[in-house]
């Protein structure tokens, strides 16, 4: 029980803060739909997605390198000081580079460019502090940092939008200042000055850290091509207003990503903490089917209720966003399943396969979106995401099918697929009676297929934890 309790405790601590952040961001979407024009929402979405790529490239993912070094050198504070000092030197260089680029960017091209620049810089610093806290083993502080940023973001939105009516400027300002609040907390919590020593900056250490972290940039870029580049294609070909509608659809589908972001780290920890990790391979096939069933049950239900919920919650200007949700939810479900199989690559230390498969899916996603954006409009990027993640899943599944004895439960798969198709007929039907009838039937079908799932999951986890206890003595 010791291993199980520790895993549950750490997973809970990691989940609480980020969950609060993501829930706040999700709950603010209906409010934004009333106070922001569609083109403003579209620009706001571009700022969020673009900043992710900029931070990854400019910092060379050094935050991940810092986390790796701190976990390796935890007993040796001198080496920790050296790693932290070197990493902050690289972060400082990245900040200077962003400031230099911003100086040459015309105001007309990027509204509120200085605020956006400040948001990117603060986001870069905040991401670094998250990894610093993890590396130092300060998990409670890591979680509380998310609480601070999420809580301050909500409060600042109320002030800037509800009281001062600053609209888009207020949203970006809230992003910037909530990041700053998080950075200030982290500086004092870590006691950063104690870990910064200019004389400890070592060129060899910097080279080693960058040698580890730089390849991660390629993986970050490939994932950005899957989930961020399509927004810029939409903005170029269809306009910012169309991207605003698409952004609402994506935010609704983030529920699936939220679940995946908590399950996958816990599952990966469970595998990696086992001394002989492939003792659990007999359970991987069962968990693959169980997790897939849960995910696509959620996809069906969220798709079925999307038309009803968005009609009640968001402004009428964004009402068309429900049309693209079933495809985007399917893509999110496929993403989650590829992440599940990706943990097996991590287990075998074959992370290069993660990059290769992700790159293949990214290329297909971009091609489908570019070729179909004119005739199909916003359906094109949604189809691109589905096709991209489907290819990644098929490649990874094919790799592990024999090696891990993976076998999809065909009966369950066809039942879910049939239910999803019926749900789509009801969702796009003009008859409200048919739509509400399909809602009821979909719920009943999902309850039937998942009636024994809880018991089966409990048996699988109990067996895995039993093996873990034996492996660790």
């Amino acid at each position: 029980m010791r291993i199980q309790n520790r895993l549950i405790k750490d997973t809970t601590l990691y989940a609480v803060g980020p969950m609060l952040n993501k829930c706040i961001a999700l709950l603010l979407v209906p409010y934004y739909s009333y106070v922001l024009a569609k083109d403003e929402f579209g620009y706001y979405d571009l700022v969020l997605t673009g900043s992710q790529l900029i931070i990854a490239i400019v910092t060379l993912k050094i935050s991940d390198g810092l986390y790796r070094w701190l976990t390796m050198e935890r007993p040796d504070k001198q080496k920790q000081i050296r790693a932290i000092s070197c990493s902050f030197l690289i972060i400082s260089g990245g900040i200077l580079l962003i400031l230099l680029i911003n100086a040459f960017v015309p105001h007309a091209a990027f509204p509120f460019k200085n605020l956006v620049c400040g948001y990117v810089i603060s986001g870069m610093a905040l991401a670094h502090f998250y990894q610093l806290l993890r590396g130092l083993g300060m998990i409670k502080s890591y979680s509380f940092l998310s609480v601070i940023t999420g809580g301050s973001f909500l409060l600042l939105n109320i002030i800037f939008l509800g009281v001062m009516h600053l609209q888009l400027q207020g949203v970006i300002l809230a992003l910037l200042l909530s990041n700053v609040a998080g950075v200030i907390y982290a500086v004092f919590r870590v006691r950063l000055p104690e870990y910064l020593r200019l004389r400890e900056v070592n060129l060899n250490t910097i080279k080693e850290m960058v040698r580890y972290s730089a390849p991660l940039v390629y993986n970050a870029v490939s994932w950005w091509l899957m989930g961020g580049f399509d927004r810029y294609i939409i903005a170029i070909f269809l306009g910012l207003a169309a991207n605003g509608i698409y952004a609402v659809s994506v935010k609704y589908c983030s529920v699936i990503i939220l679940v995946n972001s908590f399950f996958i780290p816990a599952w990966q920890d469970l595998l990696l903490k086992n001394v002989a990790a492939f003792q659990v391979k007999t359970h991987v096939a069962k968990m693959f089917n169980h997790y897939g069933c849960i995910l696509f049950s959620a996809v069906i239900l969220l798709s079925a209720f999307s038309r009803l919920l968005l009609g009640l919650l968001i402004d009428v200007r964004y009402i068309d966003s429900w049309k693209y949700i079933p495809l985007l939810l399917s893509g999110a479900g496929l993403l989650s399943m590829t992440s599940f199989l990706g943990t097996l690559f991590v287990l075998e230390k074959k992370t290069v396969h993660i990059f290769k498969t992700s790159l293949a899916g990214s290329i297909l996603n971009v091609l489908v979106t570019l070729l179909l954006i004119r005739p199909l409009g916003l359906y094109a990027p949604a189809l691109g995401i589905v096709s991209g993640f489907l290819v990644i899943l098929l490649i990874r599944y094919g790799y592990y099918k024999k090696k891990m004895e993976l076998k999809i439960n065909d009966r369950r798969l066809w039942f879910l697929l049939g239910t999803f198709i019926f749900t789509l007929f009801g969702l796009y039907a003009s008859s409200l009676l048919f739509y509400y009838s399909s809602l009821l039937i979909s719920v009943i079908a999902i309850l039937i297929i998942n009636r024994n799932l809880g018991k089966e999951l409990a048996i699988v986890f109990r067996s895995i934890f039993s093996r873990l206890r034996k492996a660790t003595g």
Side-chain angles (χ1 to χ4, degrees):
M1 290 298 289
R2 177 173 54 83
I3 294 174
Q4 182 176 358
N5 291 338
R6 178 62 184 272
L7 177 60
I8 293 171
K9 178 183 176 183
D10 285 358
T11 302
T12 303
L13 286 171
Y14 275 123
V16 169
M19 180 184 288
L20 176 66
N21 257 341
K22 293 179 185 295
C23 287
I24 288 173
L26 188 62
L27 291 172
L28 281 172
V29 171
Y31 181 56
Y32 286 163
S33 72
Y34 286 94
V35 299
L36 296 180
K38 288 187 290 185
D39 57 340
E40 289 179 323
F41 205 132
Y43 182 74
Y44 163 68
D45 186 60
L46 290 183
V47 169
L48 293 180
T49 55
S51 64
Q52 297 170 5
L53 180 66
I54 293 170
I55 291 172
I57 294 175
V58 169
T59 64
L60 299 175
K61 297 290 286 182
I62 196 63
S63 300
D64 294 81
L66 175 62
Y67 171 69
R68 171 73 178 272
W69 252 251
L70 290 178
T71 52
M72 289 169 54
E73 310 293 354
R74 188 168 291 175
D76 192 331
K77 186 168 183 177
Q78 194 66 26
K79 291 183 178 180
Q80 286 183 339
I81 291 173
R82 182 174 301 156
I84 293 171
S85 299
C86 290
S87 69
F88 270 95
L89 181 65
I90 296 172
I91 292 294
S92 299
I95 291 173
L96 290 175
L97 179 59
I98 289 174
L99 289 172
L100 182 64
I101 295 172
N102 183 64
F104 291 96
V105 174
H107 283 275
F110 293 93
F112 312 112
K113 71 157 192 165
N114 291 329
L115 286 179
V116 173
C117 177
Y119 164 64
V120 173
I121 290 173
S122 64
M124 183 191 306
L126 185 65
H128 201 62
F129 276 111
Y130 270 119
Q131 297 293 53
L132 176 57
L133 289 168
R134 285 186 67 201
L136 293 175
M138 303 170 68
I139 302 177
K140 290 182 180 179
S141 298
Y142 172 92
S143 184
F144 191 63
L145 177 57
S146 294
V147 174
I148 287 177
T149 55
S152 58
F153 182 61
L154 177 61
L155 178 62
L156 290 168
N157 268 279
I158 294 172
I159 295 171
F160 293 147
L161 297 182
V163 178
M164 301 177 67
H165 307 292
L166 294 180
Q167 296 179 302
L168 178 59
Q169 182 183 8
V171 176
I172 299 175
L173 193 56
L175 285 170
L176 166 59
L177 294 182
S178 61
N179 282 352
V180 170
V183 169
I184 292 172
Y185 164 76
V187 167
F188 284 100
R189 184 66 187 87
V190 173
R191 297 178 181 175
L192 186 63
E194 296 181 9
Y195 288 95
L196 293 181
R197 297 285 188 275
L198 190 58
R199 65 176 179 272
E200 291 295 334
V201 173
N202 184 286
L203 185 59
N204 290 330
T205 302
I206 291 176
K207 287 181 179 179
E208 289 177 21
M209 293 177 73
V210 171
R211 193 178 295 118
Y212 168 79
S213 66
L216 298 174
V217 175
Y218 298 110
N219 192 49
V221 170
S222 67
W223 279 108
W224 185 84
L225 288 173
M226 288 294 293
F229 186 62
D230 55 350
R231 319 295 176 82
Y232 288 84
I233 296 176
I234 292 169
I236 292 170
F237 287 94
L238 303 178
L240 284 174
N243 192 56
I245 292 174
Y246 189 77
V248 172
S249 304
V250 171
K251 294 291 185 185
Y252 181 90
C253 300
S254 64
V255 174
I256 299 291
I257 308 300
L258 180 64
V259 173
N260 188 61
S261 67
F262 302 139
F263 173 78
I264 292 300
W267 174 250
Q268 184 171 312
D269 277 354
L270 190 148
L271 294 178
L272 293 176
K273 286 181 179 180
N274 192 355
V275 176
F278 270 94
Q279 287 182 7
V280 299
K281 71 177 183 179
T282 53
H283 301 289
V284 170
K286 287 183 180 179
M287 187 57 68
F288 181 76
N289 279 286
H290 291 329
Y291 190 46
C293 184
I294 292 172
L295 283 172
F296 287 100
S297 295
V299 166
I300 291 169
L301 290 178
L302 289 170
S303 297
F305 283 93
S306 61
R307 181 176 169 183
L308 175 64
L309 289 176
L310 267 64
L312 294 172
L313 296 176
I314 66 169
D315 186 78
V316 67
R317 293 173 296 176
Y318 295 85
I319 197 62
D320 285 346
S321 57
W322 70 265
K323 297 177 181 178
Y324 317 105
I325 282 174
L327 279 173
L328 289 171
L329 282 170
S330 300
L334 292 169
L335 180 156
S336 301
M337 296 307 295
T338 62
S339 299
F340 180 93
L341 294 179
T343 60
L344 302 179
F345 285 127
V346 173
L347 190 66
E348 292 188 287
K349 298 180 180 178
K350 294 181 178 179
T351 51
V352 67
H353 292 319
I354 297 177
F355 167 67
K356 288 179 179 179
T357 54
S358 299
L359 183 62
S362 300
I363 292 172
L364 180 61
N365 176 25
V366 172
L367 287 175
V368 169
T369 303
L370 284 172
L371 290 173
L372 299 179
I373 190 72
R374 288 294 192 190
L376 297 184
L378 291 177
Y379 286 107
L383 282 170
I385 287 176
V386 171
S387 58
F389 283 120
L390 181 60
V391 163
I392 297 174
L393 179 61
L394 291 175
I395 294 173
R396 294 183 182 181
Y397 177 76
Y399 182 86
Y400 279 111
K401 184 177 181 181
K402 294 181 179 178
K403 191 172 186 178
M404 299 292 294
E405 300 174 359
L406 284 179
K407 182 171 174 46
I408 295 176
N409 186 323
D410 292 335
R411 190 172 69 172
R412 186 179 285 173
L413 173 65
W414 287 113
F415 186 89
L416 284 169
L417 186 60
T419 303
F420 188 47
I421 292 172
F422 176 76
T423 300
L424 292 180
F425 274 113
L427 188 62
Y428 291 98
S430 57
S431 169
L432 284 178
L433 178 62
F434 184 34
Y435 170 59
Y436 288 119
S437 299
S438 70
L439 279 182
L440 178 61
I441 293 172
S442 298
V443 171
I444 294 172
I446 295 304
L447 290 175
I448 290 172
I449 198 169
N450 290 286
R451 62 189 183 280
N452 295 319
L453 192 58
K455 293 179 181 179
E456 293 176 6
L457 282 172
I459 293 170
V460 172
F461 273 114
R462 189 159 53 242
S463 179
I464 291 172
F465 282 122
S466 175
R467 289 181 177 270
L468 281 168
R469 285 197 295 273
K470 291 177 182 178
T472 55

